[in-house]
Amino acid sequence: MFKSLKNISAMTICLLLATNVTVFASTKPADEEHKNPSNSTKIQENSYKRARFKTNVFEKLGITKEDIDNGRKTGKTLFDIAKEKGHSEEDVKKLMIEEKSKYIDDEVQRGAIPKEKAEEIKTHFKEKIEKWDGKLRDNNCSKPLNKKDVYDKIN
């Protein structure tokens, strides 16, 4: 009888521990759900903001999506396309910096980023744009423009 009591006690303790661990692992404060949106939501939001920034710049320069697509196919830079529309390289860079600065100022006003961080971002972006050669990349930027070229280099 003593052995069966030990077994029953051990099984009871295991059940209690298992249920407690499960309960504690599955609880999450309701506030955290709203304060911390999922990464996919942040990625989608940032993608939309980047696309909107590009669209604003292209609209002001009079450049269409077709112009960009054709430029990619023919190896033109954004500066080449802008030049066809009557804009210089300096105009393009200046407009990009202005649009990005407006966007960052809006984010500061909204309280999304602190003012000091905003100035740091603006400075970094300005330096990056001043060094930029105008090359057009895919939306993912890390991928080569033409996969065929990559395969040719490998073989």
Side-chain angles (χ1 to χ4, degrees), residues 6-131:
K6 273 183 160 180
N7 287 339
I8 292 172
S9 298
M11 287 185 357
T12 305
I13 290 172
C14 287
L15 278 171
L16 285 173
L17 287 174
T19 55
N20 284 338
V21 169
T22 306
V23 169
F24 287 120
S26 65
T27 59
K28 183 178 185 180
D31 290 345
E32 281 187 31
E33 292 174 14
H34 299 291
K35 287 182 183 176
N36 299 322
S38 70
N39 282 341
S40 63
T41 304
K42 288 180 184 177
I43 291 169
Q44 288 173 349
E45 185 178 311
N46 288 337
S47 295
Y48 170 75
K49 289 176 183 177
R50 279 193 305 270
R52 190 71 214 143
F53 164 72
K54 290 177 187 177
T55 303
N56 286 346
V57 171
F58 294 155
E59 283 176 359
K60 289 183 178 183
L61 293 171
I63 297 174
T64 64
K65 184 178 180 334
E66 291 78 26
D67 294 332
I68 298 295
D69 292 340
N70 291 336
R72 279 192 182 116
K73 290 176 186 173
T74 59
K76 291 183 180 177
T77 66
L78 182 60
F79 302 143
D80 296 334
I81 298 168
K83 191 173 185 177
E84 292 172 1
K85 301 288 182 175
H87 301 283
S88 69
E89 180 178 327
E90 291 78 29
D91 293 341
V92 173
K93 288 181 177 183
K94 182 180 173 189
L95 182 62
M96 291 181 84
I97 292 168
E98 286 174 3
E99 285 296 314
K100 188 69 164 188
S101 293
K102 284 181 195 175
Y103 164 73
I104 293 170
D105 291 340
D106 289 344
E107 292 295 299
V108 169
Q109 212 169 30
R110 197 170 60 90
I113 54 176
K115 194 170 187 171
E116 298 79 25
K117 182 70 174 172
E119 292 305 318
E120 183 181 316
I121 293 168
K122 286 180 190 180
T123 302
H124 175 73
F125 184 76
K126 185 176 180 181
E127 291 170 359
K128 192 174 174 182
I129 290 298
E130 287 172 352
K131 293 177 187 176

